[in-house]
Amino acid sequence: MPSSLSSLSLSAPQGTSSAHPLAAYGWDDDWAAEFAPYAEQGLLPGRVVRVDRGQCDIVTPRGTLRADTAFVVPRDPMRIVCTGDWAAVDPDGDPQFVRTLLPRRTAFVRSTSSKRSEGQVLATNIDHIAICVSLAVELDLGRVERFLALAMSSAGGDALLRDGASAVDGAAETLVVLTKADLVPDAATLSHLVQDVERLAPGVQVLPVSSATGEGVDVFAAIVSGGTSVLLGASGAGKSTLANTLLGHDEMEVRATRDMDGKGRHTTTTRNLLVLPSGGVLIDTPGLRGVGLWDAETGVGQVFSEIEALAGQCRFHDCAHEAEPGCAVQAALKDGSLPERRMDSYRKLLRENQRIVAKTDARVRSELRRDWKRKGAEGRAAMEAKRGRVR
């Protein structure tokens, strides 16, 4: 059985400075400077390692405390206490409350399934975003593109600027971890799968890993040994198994995936922050059924950089890449250098992101209405012309 998070040790792993009891959790001079005004008030610094039922486990220099999160703007979904947050707590409070959150450096944010325009923060203050994709099932390249677009938009904290949180120079590094690589024994096939994913976002590292055989685990451990990393992916992607492999023991409960489709059973139900023995901390997350975009225009542009580059070569700057003369994108589609699947995915993500942004941006809503009216008029004109030819 997995051990309780409330018994987390404050001891720093080998090779980590023990100058501060929170050093193993990522405490540094910059966080100390941010916390200085709260230290003068007698508050205690801590990092949130788990949140559930309106309360959180927060590790402090005095040990792990159980604190209420209602004090921190509970009605704002972007400011709800989240795993990875650095916070200030009253050590002598009864009950204890999280008094405030320190400004987030980075965050991974997705849109909720709600019809309202809301973002859901999944993890904060992260340095590495590891998108876990299982090789036990056929690769869904469109889903990987969606994860990449969201990761690249969230990595720098841009999605949090609206509510006053600050971004930092440099963004969280994004990589794709192809788990269960032992299920693809043919080296050539595995190489082709890696290349397929690499083509989705040039420059993003793609790493095949097997918790069963140890393939790629040392490389991944070295990547996440500095800073905070978050594991993201669908249920059954092997996130918790990979976390246990890095920890060297079974901290997170895991279950077998279904044989028919390789899907998991949502064993992990909360986001848990774990200290790695080789350094760094890891946030394991529940499997994501839906990955809704949230203000992800920047990420979409990065993931589909070749389409953005082609668009810059079109004759008209406002080219819709449909039937306009001199369209470089359409030319690439016709000669096969740009796959239709890739273009369809690009358009789908852009449309979805526009709908999300339009919920809170009146200018975007107005532009969408004008575009709908224009297309409607063009469709009616084409129909009238067709009818005229028939007569």
Side-chain angles (χ1 to χ4, degrees):
M1 292 295 292
S3 60
S4 171
L5 287 173
S6 62
S7 62
L8 286 168
S9 171
L10 282 171
S11 60
Q14 187 175 4
T16 301
S17 171
S18 57
H20 191 280
L22 293 177
Y25 289 85
W27 184 262
D28 56 28
D29 291 340
D30 290 334
W31 287 122
E34 289 280 1
F35 188 77
Y38 306 108
E40 294 175 358
Q41 301 172 29
L43 299 178
L44 201 62
R47 192 163 197 191
V48 178
V49 296
R50 184 175 64 182
V51 180
D52 62 276
R53 299 176 184 175
Q55 293 186 311
C56 67
D57 291 334
I58 180 166
V59 63
T60 75
R62 298 188 186 180
T64 302
L65 307 178
R66 186 73 170 166
D68 199 301
T69 65
F71 194 84
V72 184
V73 198
R75 294 183 180 180
D76 184 350
M78 297 292 282
R79 295 297 298 167
I80 290 176
V81 177
C82 182
T83 302
D85 275 329
W86 285 97
V89 295
D90 184 349
D92 302 317
D94 186 18
Q96 291 174 318
F97 287 91
V98 174
R99 293 297 175 180
T100 190
L101 299 180
L102 299 188
R104 291 163 174 167
R105 294 178 180 176
T106 55
F108 188 92
V109 187
R110 69 166 179 175
S111 68
T112 66
S113 57
S114 168
K115 292 183 180 180
R116 300 188 301 272
S117 177
E118 292 182 351
Q120 180 187 20
V121 185
L122 298 183
T124 65
N125 300 314
I126 45 183
D127 302 289
H128 307 282
I129 298 175
I131 300 169
C132 297
V133 181
S134 172
L135 292 179
V137 294
E138 184 177 355
L139 275 178
D140 184 342
L141 297 180
R143 187 175 179 84
V144 176
E145 287 166 340
R146 176 179 291 272
F147 265 109
L148 285 169
L150 197 55
M152 290 180 174
S153 295
S154 295
D158 293 339
L160 295 178
L161 292 178
R162 294 177 179 176
D163 70 309
S166 59
V168 293
D169 293 334
E173 177 189 2
T174 300
L175 66 152
V176 178
V177 180
L178 300 179
T179 62
K180 308 182 184 182
D182 55 291
L183 298 181
V184 186
D186 181 66
T189 301
L190 181 59
S191 177
H192 285 309
L193 291 173
V194 171
Q195 291 172 15
D196 286 344
V197 178
E198 286 177 335
R199 293 190 192 98
L200 303 183
V204 172
Q205 184 173 2
V206 180
L207 180 66
V209 167
S210 170
S211 296
T213 66
E215 177 184 357
V217 172
D218 289 345
V219 176
F220 185 62
I223 292 172
V224 301
S225 63
T228 300
S229 305
V230 59
L231 300 179
L232 297 163
S235 295
K239 300 183 299 298
S240 294
T241 300
L242 181 57
N244 287 339
T245 301
L246 294 174
L247 288 168
H249 62 274
D250 290 344
E251 178 82 23
M252 305 304 299
E253 184 180 355
V254 296
R255 293 181 186 175
T257 57
R258 296 196 302 245
D259 291 336
M260 69 179 75
D261 55 13
K263 292 184 179 179
R265 297 191 177 107
H266 290 286
T267 306
T268 303
T269 56
T270 59
R271 296 182 285 277
N272 305 296
L273 187 147
L274 310 162
V275 177
L276 299 176
S278 58
V281 294
L282 188 71
I283 299 176
D284 186 25
T285 65
L288 299 176
R289 288 192 179 94
V291 192
L293 298 186
W294 175 259
D295 201 4
E297 183 177 356
T298 300
V300 172
Q302 287 180 282
V303 174
F304 298 91
S305 58
E306 81 280 22
I307 299 179
E308 300 266 313
L310 286 168
Q313 301 171 25
C314 292
R315 181 183 302 177
F316 304 108
H317 74 277
D318 59 347
C319 183
H321 318 306
E322 293 174 353
E324 296 85 351
C327 176
V329 174
Q330 283 296 322
L333 287 170
K334 288 178 181 177
D335 67 23
S337 58
L338 175 61
E340 287 280 356
R341 186 210 67 80
R342 184 85 165 147
M343 188 64 189
D344 290 344
S345 182
Y346 173 69
R347 284 175 169 152
K348 179 180 179 181
L349 294 181
L350 276 185
R351 286 195 301 268
E352 179 181 332
N353 190 67
Q354 271 192 323
R355 287 195 297 270
I356 292 295
V357 175
K359 291 180 179 180
T360 56
D361 192 318
R363 180 184 59 83
V364 175
R365 283 200 301 273
S366 178
E367 290 176 353
L368 283 177
R369 289 194 192 101
R370 285 198 298 270
D371 188 51
W372 291 336
K373 288 180 180 179
R374 177 184 62 81
K375 289 182 177 179
E378 290 174 351
R380 288 190 296 272
M383 184 62 69
E384 289 297 326
K386 184 177 180 180
R387 287 173 179 170
R389 287 195 296 271
V390 170
R391 290 173 188 163

